[in-house]
Amino acid sequence: MIKKILLLLLFCNAAFSQVVINELDPDTNSTDVLEFIELKSATPNMPLDGYVLVFYNAGGTSPYSGIVSYYSLDLDGYSTDVNGIIHFGNPQVSPTPAFLIPITTIQNGPDVVGLYLGDATDFPLNTTAHANGLIDALAYSNNGTAKPTALMGILGLVTCVNENLNSAAASQSIQRKIDGTYEVKAPTPGMNNDGSGIVLTYLRLTTSASTLTEGQSFTVTFTSTSVVMGSDLVINFSLNNGAFTTADYSGTTSVTIPVGTTVGSTTIQVLDDGTNEGDEEIKIVVGAVTSGYSLYNNNMIIRVNDINFVILPFGSPTNPTHGLVTSTAPAGYYSSIEGLSGSALKQGLQDIIANPSVIHAHVYGDIYDILKVADQNPENSNQVWLIYSEIPRSKIDYQTGNSIVGKWNREHIYCQSRGGFADATTSTPQGINTWNTYGTPGPDNITTGHADAHHIRAVDGQENSSRNNRNYGVDYNGPIGNSGTWRGDVARSLFYTAVRYNGLNVINGDPADTILGQIGDLTTLLQWNMTDTSDDFEMNRNNYIYTWQLNRNPFIDYPNLADYIWGIHAGETWSSALSTPDFNELKITMYPNPTKDFITISGLTNEAKVEISSMTGLSVYVGNYKNNEQLNLNLASGIYMVKVVEDNKSVIKKLIIQ
């Protein structure tokens, strides 16, 4: 991420505001691991409830284009210290910030940071800049010429501070003076900029573990920067956090540092209650500390994994099973498309899955609830399975704020911008039995696509950002090292949207993202549909979404329908019998596998066609083959898909080249 530094312009002074931006250090040595922002209140120990810090990008390059916010920090629950000071920053900042901001988050500028009355939820990612509720703001840059002029105008700022004023931006910070102006000098996090005030002894909170399982214990330790004098120092803290209560642990939530020492600790035992309540988080919240002491850090989170999770009777996408989960489509659900072909077949499908008198349309706020069940990891009911990354993640790690690191969120397989339904529905959940709030959910109502779970998947936040709105196959093929277990899922999701909604199309090539209603690459997707076949995970997903939306993805129930609409059987008459596995699956044996330079295929009656493709869909070999011949190969190490076609039967096998 390109970093930008804050230029703070404050036209309102301390008489107007009880708290101001006191110091900012956005541009630091090397990889920007010492960024921080500091506030100062007019009175000591001032609660900051009701305040929020908002970081604005002045416009420019992706992913932060336009004059919009890129990060916000809710200050509820925080208070300034005895000197009226509190700072927030990277983990390597000393003393440890009250809240840890991920490294390289604060941009180097020219940009603006603002202090508002409000909450972080009032400023989601890419909020357009405004001055409503603005208490203080700082415009900044790291050179003497560039300024966030437009952004300054919006926020009423007239001054932009140059952090590089002394040609030392990486080693100096922007600091507020008593008269409300700013200077640039060596950073002073956690203390008054002029060196005045009470010299504090800091207390550092550490734990023996950041993640544990029910039944395990952990140690809470407090370390003082100086020897305790006079009397023992007692530090009290709480562990309660939502569903995690006093019934979930045993131990003393108090630590004593004896006189003449600097360290005290206590051990907490997390209890196994024998029931699955899902993964939880302990939040260590330290209460008020004795005058003269200040906390290096607070509000520490410890993950507790519930040991009583449920395992489902089918495999994950990387360990797939087939035939254990059957379709819950009602009898006759697809009977109306029997004997249809061409455009009539596609229209017949749409009449089923987009019937406005049947379909239930939901809102984007419902999607997290849907995905926690539809995308549940079969091997651990407390996790969701992440598409593209091919890994599980705890359900409680869904994105609620601006940070995407370690979080999962909602991936539109048919990109919002390409589909024309970006932000079309509310983020407030309405529940399974509330629908049709955005009009009749027929095929012409594109709004419905914003919250259509058949093409929305759980995804790693950072990988979601990387995928962005790129076309599949010709541009995006997943993160490095992925095995492609998601590719057929993506293909079938896009085939669904292309039938479900008028105006949405899947086409060949790499269409520009500015062309509404187009996504590619159709040729790749048709191949992915065959090489990564529908499994029990996907069928279970289809069944669950059906309980919400009352429609199904027909390409999961009958994957080869796609070939009868767009592929090699386009124009031919459809019959559900064509999807019976025993009808069209070729029974062969391919060996050795893994191999280095050749394979042999047995079980063929007649001459067959063999096509070998890479996991990105690139064809690397095509040729005719006779039973039990040795097929010599000259392929790089990796995973390939081998398609064998004999008469009207075919099969696809995974091949590993060592």
Side-chain angles (χ1 to χ4, degrees), residues 87 169 200 225 232 279 287 336 379 443 527 540 544 557 623 632 655:
H87 67 293
L200 299 172
T225 55
D232 294 348
D279 296 341
S336 59
E379 298 171 357
Q527 185 171 9
N540 181 71
Y544 182 70
D557 292 329
N632 296 319
L655 172 65

Side-chain angles (χ1 to χ4, degrees), residues 469-488:
N469 59 1
R470 296 154 63 189
N471 292 300
Y472 292 98
V474 289
D475 186 5
Y476 182 76
N477 287 284
I480 296 174
N482 81 92
S483 61
T485 60
W486 50 270
R487 291 173 177 166

Side-chain angles (χ1 to χ4, degrees), residues 175-348:
Q175 301 180 33
R176 181 185 176 88
K177 298 194 293 186
I178 294 177
D179 63 4
T181 62
Y182 286 87
E183 61 183 337
V184 179
K185 61 180 185 179
T188 60
M191 62 187 69
N192 288 330
N193 296 334
D194 61 3
S196 64
I198 299 173
V199 178
L200 299 172
T201 296
Y202 287 93
L203 299 172
R204 183 188 298 276
L205 163 65
T206 58
T207 62
S208 59
S210 59
T211 301
L212 46 90
T213 301
E214 285 183 338
Q216 296 180 330
S217 61
F218 66 100
T219 301
V220 178
T221 301
F222 287 92
T223 304
S224 172
T225 55
S226 61
V227 172
V228 172
M229 306 292 290
S231 59
D232 294 348
L233 175 62
V234 178
I235 307 163
N236 297 308
F237 60 92
S238 66
L239 299 175
N240 296 6
N241 186 33
F244 190 87
T245 67
T246 54
D248 295 310
Y249 66 89
S250 64
T252 303
T253 56
S254 178
V255 169
T256 298
I257 303 179
V259 171
T261 66
T262 59
V263 180
S265 63
T266 186
T267 298
I268 302 296
Q269 176 79 32
V270 179
L271 305 177
D272 176 9
D273 58 10
T275 61
N276 183 37
E277 299 169 318
D279 296 341
E280 297 176 297
E281 290 181 335
I282 300 172
K283 186 175 185 179
I284 304 176
V285 181
V286 184
V289 296
T290 302
S291 178
Y293 291 91
S294 185
L295 293 171
Y296 262 115
N297 56 325
N298 199 355
N299 303 296
M300 183 174 288
I301 298 294
I302 296 178
R303 170 61 50 82
V304 178
N305 294 323
D306 198 310
I307 200 172
N308 303 290
F309 56 81
V310 176
I311 300 175
L312 297 176
F314 57 88
S316 68
T318 56
N319 186 31
T321 58
H322 300 82
L324 299 179
V325 180
T326 58
S327 171
T328 58
Y333 186 77
Y334 294 108
S335 60
S336 59
I337 63 171
E338 291 290 309
L340 298 182
S341 62
S343 59
L345 175 60
K346 183 179 179 181
Q347 183 61 55

Side-chain angles (χ1 to χ4, degrees), residues 114-179:
L115 177 66
Y116 287 81
L117 290 175
D119 298 301
T121 54
D122 299 325
F123 296 90
L125 183 67
N126 293 328
T127 296
T128 302
H130 63 79
N132 299 331
L134 184 66
I135 298 299
D136 191 20
L138 175 64
Y140 67 93
S141 180
N142 58 2
N143 66 70
T145 57
K147 297 181 180 180
T149 306
L151 185 50
M152 291 170 64
I154 293 171
L155 301 181
L157 304 178
V158 296
T159 300
C160 177
V161 183
N162 177 18
E163 188 188 15
N164 201 38
L165 182 65
N166 303 321
S167 300
S171 59
Q172 295 187 335
S173 66
I174 300 169
Q175 301 180 33
R176 181 185 176 88
K177 298 194 293 186
I178 294 177
D179 63 4

Side-chain angles (χ1 to χ4, degrees), residues 522-533:
L522 176 59
T523 298
T524 299
L525 295 168
L526 287 169
Q527 185 171 9
W528 285 359
N529 182 48
M530 294 185 295
T531 56
D532 175 34
T533 56

